[in-house]
Amino acid sequence: MTARVLIVDDVPANLKLLDAKLTAEYFDVLKASSGPEAIDIATAQQPDIILLDVMMPGMDGFEVCRRLKAAPQTEHIPIVMVTALDQPKDRVQGLQAGADDFLTKPVNDLALFARVKSLVRLKMVTDELRMREATGQRIGAFIGTSTERMLMVEPGRALVLDDRPTSLKRLTEALGLEHTVTIAETPEEMLQLAGVGDFDLMIVSLTLQEFDGLRLCSQLRSLEATRQTPILVIVEEGDTPRLVRALDMGVNDYLLRPVDRNELVARCRTQLRRKRYQDYLRDKFQRGLELAITDGLTGLYNRRYMEGHLTTLVEEGLQSGKPVSLLIFDIDYFKSVNDTYGHAAGDTVLKEFAQRIQQNVRGVDLACRLGGEEFVVVMPDTDLSYAFMVAERLRQKVAEIPFRIEPAVALNVTVSIGIGVTEGGSDTAKRLLERADSALYRAKRDGRNRVVAEAA
């Protein structure tokens, strides 16, 4: 894995040494020798990760980190603080400033490279989600809400496994002040709970007596339900090989024994913040997709989606030899409803009409609103006789049951329906839609409130 790394240090020798190490591992390296320079480069060059010295004159690393995390252009860039400070309070201060990790000089090369690769992988996931969101906003599918952030609004749900009673008690007491903590007694129980519990964070000891903690982390990463859930592991100080393996398999963060209470809380907050931001982006993308392909008033699919899906169904039907039928509806004299009772009443009729369509077609059928008072139902693997039966049933359901637009006002509504069916050969979705539309025109011309199929 390659990545663009910005290293920030006011000591030229340190810059040169880190540059040489990272370049040898095929990273693209950017360098800054002061806080303001680092902010400028990060904003302009958008590195994948920043290695930031703490002890710098003028603007120290903590302040640089706070400013980078406060800026929308750079808040998503992972930051690893690299310093000679090794007290828990220093790590906590860095994490509270927004840093993702804190490495102590002299830095172990294996730990450094593993940490960089792990954080870059996480950033790639966030970048992909941010790119989808930006694309959605450009095409008008998403509504921009830059101030909206799913951070620490609600308590998190943590699942913990540690077979050391004293350590487990410290973990649960510290986390229980802010979050809901569930304790797993065994690895098997953790896998079972994780698969159904919808947790925000999982904490695993890598020093379990009766089970390989790394194998448990690997199993958690392989489950669909927990693939995106942050894992925080607890390791013995100096156990670099095990830590490197954990980071390589996708573990998000780690704590060294003895676990410092404040560092535990700070690292859990960081992981929850990242998970909720990614969940927010995923949910927003899904909602945007739904908005892009559905009609806002009726909840049916819109014309854009129908045209694409119809093309696919027609092509598949031609290959398999199975017919595709298309029903096109037009509510009779709908303009008079709007003119007489107002557009709110018209919207009520449209929504009720959409519901009646959905209640009378199969799950495989595609119900859409073309626009205005026109609707379409696409029916795969359906011949003309069955399509006609469904259309006639729908026509009767509309005509027989009045549409109530107010408690004391009910309207009698009718609908005209045209049917088209694929003809094989080189037929197309466009021709099918045109034939159904032609049949609808004849239904309206011949008196409305009727079903007409395409001419034989």
Side-chain angles (χ1 to χ4, degrees):
M1 172 187 292
T2 186
R4 176 177 289 189
V5 183
L6 170 60
I7 53 178
V8 186
D9 200 309
D10 64 311
V11 179
N14 292 342
L15 279 178
K16 186 175 181 180
L17 179 61
L18 267 179
D19 185 5
K21 289 182 177 182
L22 291 165
T23 301
E25 293 293 318
Y26 302 101
F27 290 104
D28 183 13
V29 179
L30 304 168
K31 293 176 291 214
S33 57
S34 69
E37 183 183 11
I39 292 173
D40 290 342
I41 293 176
T43 303
Q45 300 293 327
Q46 293 290 299
D48 295 303
I49 191 169
I50 300 172
L51 303 181
L52 176 62
D53 185 33
V54 173
M55 305 303 291
M56 296 187 295
M59 186 187 299
D60 66 17
F62 296 129
E63 180 61 23
V64 174
C65 185
R66 279 190 288 268
R67 295 194 184 191
L68 288 170
K69 291 298 183 178
Q73 305 94 322
T74 54
E75 65 177 346
H76 61 287
I77 302 174
I79 296 176
V80 177
M81 289 191 162
V82 184
T83 179
L85 301 174
D86 61 355
Q87 296 301 308
K89 65 180 180 64
D90 299 314
R91 292 196 294 270
V92 171
Q93 185 178 355
L95 294 168
Q96 290 175 341
D100 295 84
D101 205 351
F102 200 98
L103 298 179
T104 304
K105 297 177 182 178
V107 177
N108 179 284
D109 290 353
L110 284 176
L112 170 65
F113 299 144
R115 200 60 180 132
V116 168
K117 292 175 182 177
S118 174
L119 287 171
V120 168
R121 281 196 298 268
L122 289 172
K123 179 177 178 291
M124 289 171 64
V125 174
T126 303
D127 284 350
E128 173 64 21
L129 294 171
R130 293 174 69 248
M131 184 172 62
R132 292 180 184 179
E133 180 188 33
T135 300
Q137 289 183 6
R138 281 197 299 272
I139 67 174
F142 302 167
I143 300 173
T145 51
S146 60
T147 60
E148 194 173 355
R149 287 291 182 269
M150 298 299 292
L151 300 181
M152 301 301 293
V153 178
E154 298 178 355
R157 299 174 302 280
L159 178 61
V160 180
L161 174 62
D162 190 346
D163 57 6
R164 300 186 185 184
T166 302
S167 174
L168 180 61
K169 182 179 178 182
R170 287 175 59 84
L171 291 174
T172 55
E173 287 179 350
L175 290 177
L177 296 175
E178 293 186 4
H179 311 294
T180 302
V181 181
T182 301
I183 298 173
E185 299 291 343
T186 64
E188 293 77 14
E189 184 182 13
M190 186 168 206
L191 288 169
Q192 182 180 10
L193 290 171
V196 298
D198 191 24
F199 291 97
D200 297 306
L201 176 68
M202 298 178 292
I203 301 177
V204 178
S205 169
L206 292 188
T207 57
L208 299 173
Q209 295 298 312
E210 304 295 332
F211 197 82
D212 184 349
L214 285 174
R215 184 172 300 279
L216 175 58
C217 291
S218 175
Q219 292 172 330
L220 289 169
R221 273 290 165 262
S222 67
L223 294 174
E224 182 65 29
T226 55
R227 190 161 293 162
Q228 304 297 333
T229 307
I231 300 175
L232 189 152
V233 295
I234 302 172
V235 297
E236 296 288 350
E237 188 168 4
D239 193 358
T240 302
R242 195 182 307 217
L243 175 59
V244 170
R245 290 287 301 277
L247 293 171
D248 281 343
M249 69 175 55
V251 163
N252 301 74
D253 206 349
Y254 63 92
L255 285 161
L256 301 177
R257 293 191 190 274
V259 173
D260 178 78
R261 179 191 189 99
N262 293 324
E263 184 177 357
L264 166 68
V265 172
R267 289 191 183 275
C268 288
R269 284 177 181 168
T270 297
Q271 292 306 317
L272 286 170
R273 185 177 294 111
R274 180 185 288 116
K275 179 183 185 293
R276 287 179 174 178
Y277 181 54
Q278 291 182 350
D279 288 347
Y280 158 75
L281 290 175
R282 287 191 183 95
D283 291 344
K284 188 173 182 181
F285 178 70
Q286 185 61 38
R287 291 196 304 270
L289 277 182
E290 292 172 359
L291 289 172
I293 65 175
T294 57
D295 172 59
L297 178 66
T298 64
L300 301 182
Y301 289 104
N302 60 20
R303 181 170 194 142
R304 179 196 302 176
Y305 182 81
M306 183 277 296
E307 290 176 343
H309 194 64
L310 179 61
T311 298
T312 300
L313 288 177
V314 169
E315 291 175 352
E316 290 178 351
L318 292 176
Q319 292 178 359
S320 65
K322 296 178 180 178
V324 176
S325 292
L326 186 145
L327 282 56
I328 183 167
F329 305 77
D330 188 285
I331 299 176
D332 296 330
Y333 305 110
F334 182 73
K335 184 176 183 299
S336 65
V337 176
N338 284 331
D339 292 343
T340 304
Y341 299 97
H343 289 281
D347 289 348
T348 299
V349 170
L350 291 173
K351 288 188 284 188
E352 173 64 22
F353 184 76
Q355 290 177 10
R356 295 191 191 185
I357 290 179
Q358 289 179 304
Q359 291 166 359
N360 287 278
V361 297
R362 303 168 301 184
V364 297
D365 299 330
L366 184 75
C368 314
R369 182 187 178 196
L370 281 188
E373 66 272 25
E374 286 194 329
F375 294 78
V376 160
V377 172
V378 182
M379 308 180 72
D381 192 13
T382 303
D383 59 19
L384 178 58
S385 61
Y386 186 85
F388 197 97
M389 179 189 71
V390 172
E392 180 59 26
R393 183 176 66 209
L394 271 165
R395 185 198 65 78
Q396 293 177 8
K397 292 288 185 182
V398 171
E400 292 173 357
I401 306 173
F403 286 60
R404 189 163 297 281
I405 60 173
E406 294 178 11
V409 179
L411 298 181
N412 291 316
V413 176
T414 62
V415 62
S416 300
I417 307 173
I419 304 176
V421 181
T422 51
E423 296 179 341
S426 59
D427 205 1
T428 65
K430 181 180 179 182
R431 292 172 186 165
L432 175 61
L433 188 57
E434 288 174 347
R435 289 197 298 275
D437 194 54
S438 177
L440 173 63
Y441 174 78
R442 294 202 308 275
K444 294 167 67 175
R445 183 195 61 191
D446 294 344
R448 293 181 168 82
N449 189 24
R450 65 191 63 233
V451 178
V452 172
E454 60 184 317

